Amino acid sequence: MGMPMEFNTMIVTKGKEVRIDENTFELSKDGYRVYPIDIPIEVRKTMSGEVTGQAVVQKLELTNIKTIVTYQLINLNSTN
């Protein structure tokens, strides 16, 4: 039996990220998703929106058909 999983090369927040520390955020997404760890990737509010910055994923947690991504923002392109 298979398990649906997505491989993502950017973080799309849709404004649902939660600040944990000064530059560290946590984002919960439905489904199982895999992101590259320790490699800078783009952060966007929407899939087709402008790049708002770059982040490095520090931790992935896959549980109960949810993915929790903890990432550190390393470059901010916009304050909005």
Side-chain angles (χ1 to χ4, degrees):
M1 184 155 112
M3 177 177 79
M5 180 175 292
E6 285 186 21
F7 291 89
N8 293 270
T9 56
M10 76 174 110
I11 298 171
V12 180
T13 65
K14 296 184 182 173
K16 296 181 181 179
E17 69 276 16
V18 175
R19 185 182 299 265
I20 295 176
D21 200 7
E22 188 173 327
N23 289 333
T24 305
F25 295 84
E26 188 174 271
L27 178 64
S28 179
K29 304 283 267 181
D30 289 332
Y32 296 119
R33 300 163 188 257
V34 176
Y35 294 86
I37 296 177
D38 295 331
I39 297 173
I41 59 175
E42 294 178 348
V43 177
R44 298 172 184 244
K45 284 198 181 210
T46 63
M47 181 80 79
S48 60
E50 290 185 24
V51 176
T52 57
Q54 284 191 324
V56 174
V57 174
Q58 297 177 323
K59 180 176 147 184
L60 282 177
E61 187 177 339
L62 306 173
T63 182
N64 298 328
I65 312 175
K66 283 194 175 271
T67 301
I68 300 171
V69 183
T70 304
Y71 62 93
Q72 181 178 20
L73 197 60
I74 58 171
N75 183 15
L76 183 63
N77 296 345
S78 170
T79 57
N80 293 336

